Amino acid sequence: MQIKKNSVVSFHYTLNDGDGKLLDTSAGKDAFAYIQGGGMIVAGLEEEMEGRKVGDNLQVKVEAAKGYGEVDPGLLQRVPADKFGDQKVEEGMQFQTPDHRVWSVMEVKDGEVVLNGNHPLAGVILHFSVEITDVREATPDELSHGHVHGAGGHHH
Ligand code: ZN
């Protein structure tokens, strides 16, 4: 069957940035499984999956706007280090705010902490190499839960 809205799609992938640097891969793991049309994968890849079938191999280039978004300068913030109280703050640490945004500490300097709330892949052009390994209809349970059950998905 062809991939359409509410198909459960399993695929193996390798993700590189524009310089060929490896960002992520499913190699050695279960194929990644998602529900087509649910916004569970980046928009630019989901669009390319529509109408494909098992065994298809795709090379997909996704611009940042249809990937993890452009870098938002408003999400680069300087905070006085004393706002963190006794908590140790070091470059590379991550914090989550109540709005679920994850902030990375870019730098600690001169009593200030530089935080970046952008997704680590914001502004990055994504190059996916994809092999589709399974396509099936989603079950009513999967549609009501909004995620895939079984291999590559949730086990509960
Ligand atoms: Zn579930």
Side-chain angles (χ1 to χ4, degrees):
M1 61 181 278
Q2 288 188 312
I3 296 172
K4 58 183 189 329
K5 184 164 172 57
N6 294 338
S7 295
V8 171
V9 182
S10 300
F11 68 96
H12 276 290
Y13 66 94
T14 299
L15 173 59
N16 292 283
D17 68 11
D19 300 324
K21 183 182 155 212
L22 180 68
L23 299 174
D24 194 13
T25 177
S26 64
K29 296 184 273 190
D30 278 342
F32 183 81
Y34 77 98
I35 300 172
Q36 176 76 2
M40 296 162 72
I41 60 174
V42 296
L45 182 58
E46 187 168 59
E47 284 173 12
E48 289 295 322
M49 291 296 231
E50 187 79 19
R52 307 287 182 159
K53 58 189 190 313
V54 172
D56 281 0
N57 286 281
L58 285 65
Q59 304 294 326
V60 182
K61 179 182 172 187
V62 178
E63 300 295 336
K66 286 192 170 182
Y68 291 97
E70 305 288 357
V71 172
D72 179 353
L75 293 175
L76 293 168
Q77 297 193 3
R78 290 175 175 278
V79 177
D82 58 18
K83 276 195 101 173
F84 289 87
D86 292 336
Q87 192 173 4
K88 194 171 168 59
V89 183
E90 286 180 329
E91 188 181 326
M93 288 178 75
Q94 292 188 323
F95 299 91
Q96 195 171 23
T97 40
D99 60 357
H100 301 296
R101 185 169 293 285
V102 175
W103 297 83
S104 298
V105 177
M106 306 301 288
E107 196 178 13
V108 183
K109 196 180 168 193
D110 301 331
E112 276 192 329
V113 180
V114 182
L115 295 173
N116 183 1
N118 286 288
H119 188 282
L121 295 179
V124 175
I125 297 171
L126 309 170
H127 293 259
F128 285 97
S129 177
V130 168
E131 183 191 357
I132 298 167
T133 58
D134 192 49
V135 181
R136 63 173 171 83
E137 299 271 4
T139 65
D141 267 359
E142 287 174 323
L143 292 177
S144 72
H145 289 196
H147 55 229
V148 174
H149 292 161
H154 284 243
H155 299 268
H156 67 117

